[in-house]
Short mmCIF file of all heavy atoms in Angstrom, two decimals:
data_model
loop_
_atom_site.label_atom_id
_atom_site.label_comp_id
_atom_site.label_asym_id
_atom_site.label_seq_id
_atom_site.Cartn_x
_atom_site.Cartn_y
_atom_site.Cartn_z
N MET A 1085 -62.35 -49.94 15.25
CA MET A 1085 -62.91 -48.71 15.68
C MET A 1085 -63.23 -48.69 17.15
O MET A 1085 -63.02 -47.50 17.81
CB MET A 1085 -64.35 -48.47 14.88
CG MET A 1085 -64.10 -48.16 13.43
SD MET A 1085 -65.68 -48.11 12.52
CE MET A 1085 -66.52 -46.89 13.41
N PHE A 1086 -63.67 -49.77 17.75
CA PHE A 1086 -63.78 -49.81 19.24
C PHE A 1086 -62.56 -49.54 19.99
O PHE A 1086 -62.48 -48.76 20.85
CB PHE A 1086 -64.45 -51.18 19.51
CG PHE A 1086 -64.58 -51.34 21.06
CD1 PHE A 1086 -65.50 -50.75 21.72
CD2 PHE A 1086 -63.60 -52.09 21.72
CE1 PHE A 1086 -65.78 -50.86 23.15
CE2 PHE A 1086 -63.69 -52.29 23.12
CZ PHE A 1086 -64.83 -51.63 23.82
N LEU A 1087 -61.50 -50.18 19.54
CA LEU A 1087 -60.13 -49.93 20.14
C LEU A 1087 -59.65 -48.59 20.03
O LEU A 1087 -59.07 -47.97 20.95
CB LEU A 1087 -59.14 -50.99 19.58
CG LEU A 1087 -59.32 -52.45 19.91
CD1 LEU A 1087 -58.41 -53.34 19.26
CD2 LEU A 1087 -59.20 -52.60 21.50
N VAL A 1088 -59.83 -47.94 18.79
CA VAL A 1088 -59.27 -46.58 18.66
C VAL A 1088 -60.18 -45.63 19.62
O VAL A 1088 -59.62 -44.73 20.22
CB VAL A 1088 -59.53 -46.17 17.24
CG1 VAL A 1088 -59.32 -44.72 16.97
CG2 VAL A 1088 -58.45 -46.86 16.34
N THR A 1089 -61.52 -45.88 19.62
CA THR A 1089 -62.35 -45.13 20.52
C THR A 1089 -61.94 -45.26 21.94
O THR A 1089 -61.91 -44.25 22.71
CB THR A 1089 -63.76 -45.38 20.33
OG1 THR A 1089 -64.10 -45.24 18.99
CG2 THR A 1089 -64.74 -44.52 21.23
N ALA A 1090 -61.77 -46.47 22.48
CA ALA A 1090 -61.33 -46.71 23.78
C ALA A 1090 -59.95 -46.06 24.06
O ALA A 1090 -59.75 -45.50 25.18
CB ALA A 1090 -61.19 -48.20 24.03
N ALA A 1091 -59.08 -46.10 23.13
CA ALA A 1091 -57.76 -45.40 23.38
C ALA A 1091 -57.87 -44.02 23.47
O ALA A 1091 -57.23 -43.37 24.24
CB ALA A 1091 -56.88 -45.84 22.26
N CYS A 1092 -58.70 -43.35 22.66
CA CYS A 1092 -58.99 -42.00 22.69
C CYS A 1092 -59.52 -41.54 23.98
O CYS A 1092 -59.14 -40.46 24.59
CB CYS A 1092 -59.82 -41.46 21.55
SG CYS A 1092 -58.93 -41.51 19.96
N ILE A 1093 -60.50 -42.18 24.43
CA ILE A 1093 -61.13 -42.01 25.80
C ILE A 1093 -60.12 -42.11 26.99
O ILE A 1093 -60.08 -41.25 27.88
CB ILE A 1093 -62.44 -42.75 26.02
CG1 ILE A 1093 -63.46 -42.40 25.01
CG2 ILE A 1093 -62.86 -42.68 27.50
CD1 ILE A 1093 -64.69 -43.32 24.96
N ALA A 1094 -59.39 -43.18 26.89
CA ALA A 1094 -58.37 -43.40 28.01
C ALA A 1094 -57.31 -42.39 27.99
O ALA A 1094 -56.65 -42.07 29.09
CB ALA A 1094 -57.77 -44.92 27.68
N GLN A 1095 -56.99 -41.69 26.95
CA GLN A 1095 -55.99 -40.61 26.85
C GLN A 1095 -56.52 -39.29 27.16
O GLN A 1095 -55.82 -38.29 26.68
CB GLN A 1095 -55.27 -40.69 25.45
CG GLN A 1095 -54.50 -42.04 25.30
CD GLN A 1095 -53.84 -42.10 23.86
OE1 GLN A 1095 -53.88 -41.10 23.14
NE2 GLN A 1095 -53.29 -43.12 23.50
N GLN A 1096 -57.57 -39.18 27.88
CA GLN A 1096 -58.17 -37.84 28.13
C GLN A 1096 -58.25 -37.76 29.80
O GLN A 1096 -59.27 -37.82 30.33
CB GLN A 1096 -59.58 -37.68 27.63
CG GLN A 1096 -59.40 -37.47 26.06
CD GLN A 1096 -60.74 -37.13 25.53
OE1 GLN A 1096 -61.76 -37.31 25.98
NE2 GLN A 1096 -60.68 -36.41 24.36
N PRO A 1097 -57.08 -37.71 30.50
CA PRO A 1097 -57.18 -37.65 31.88
C PRO A 1097 -57.73 -36.32 32.43
O PRO A 1097 -58.11 -36.37 33.57
CB PRO A 1097 -55.63 -37.74 32.32
CG PRO A 1097 -54.90 -37.21 31.14
CD PRO A 1097 -55.82 -37.64 29.92
N TRP A 1098 -57.91 -35.36 31.67
CA TRP A 1098 -58.52 -34.09 32.16
C TRP A 1098 -59.96 -33.91 31.72
O TRP A 1098 -60.44 -32.74 31.63
CB TRP A 1098 -57.64 -32.96 31.69
CG TRP A 1098 -56.35 -33.02 32.33
CD1 TRP A 1098 -55.11 -33.24 31.74
CD2 TRP A 1098 -55.99 -33.01 33.76
NE1 TRP A 1098 -54.09 -33.36 32.67
CE2 TRP A 1098 -54.58 -33.27 33.86
CE3 TRP A 1098 -56.74 -32.76 35.01
CZ2 TRP A 1098 -53.93 -33.32 35.12
CZ3 TRP A 1098 -56.11 -32.95 36.17
CH2 TRP A 1098 -54.75 -33.10 36.26
N LYS A 1099 -60.69 -35.00 31.59
CA LYS A 1099 -62.16 -34.98 31.34
C LYS A 1099 -62.68 -35.88 32.39
O LYS A 1099 -62.72 -37.09 32.29
CB LYS A 1099 -62.47 -35.53 29.98
CG LYS A 1099 -63.87 -35.42 29.66
CD LYS A 1099 -64.21 -35.86 28.21
CE LYS A 1099 -65.78 -35.68 27.90
NZ LYS A 1099 -65.99 -35.90 26.59
N TYR A 1116 -60.43 -30.50 27.25
CA TYR A 1116 -60.12 -30.63 25.86
C TYR A 1116 -61.06 -29.97 25.04
O TYR A 1116 -60.70 -29.45 23.88
CB TYR A 1116 -60.32 -32.19 25.53
CG TYR A 1116 -59.29 -32.99 26.39
CD1 TYR A 1116 -59.72 -33.73 27.46
CD2 TYR A 1116 -57.83 -32.92 26.21
CE1 TYR A 1116 -58.82 -34.44 28.35
CE2 TYR A 1116 -56.95 -33.62 27.00
CZ TYR A 1116 -57.46 -34.30 28.14
OH TYR A 1116 -56.56 -34.98 28.82
#
Side-chain angles (χ1 to χ4, degrees):
M1085 288 175 56
F1086 174 76
L1087 289 173
V1088 168
T1089 302
C1092 288
I1093 291 170
Q1095 293 178 6
Q1096 293 189 335
W1098 297 111
K1099 184 174 184 174
Y1116 302 105

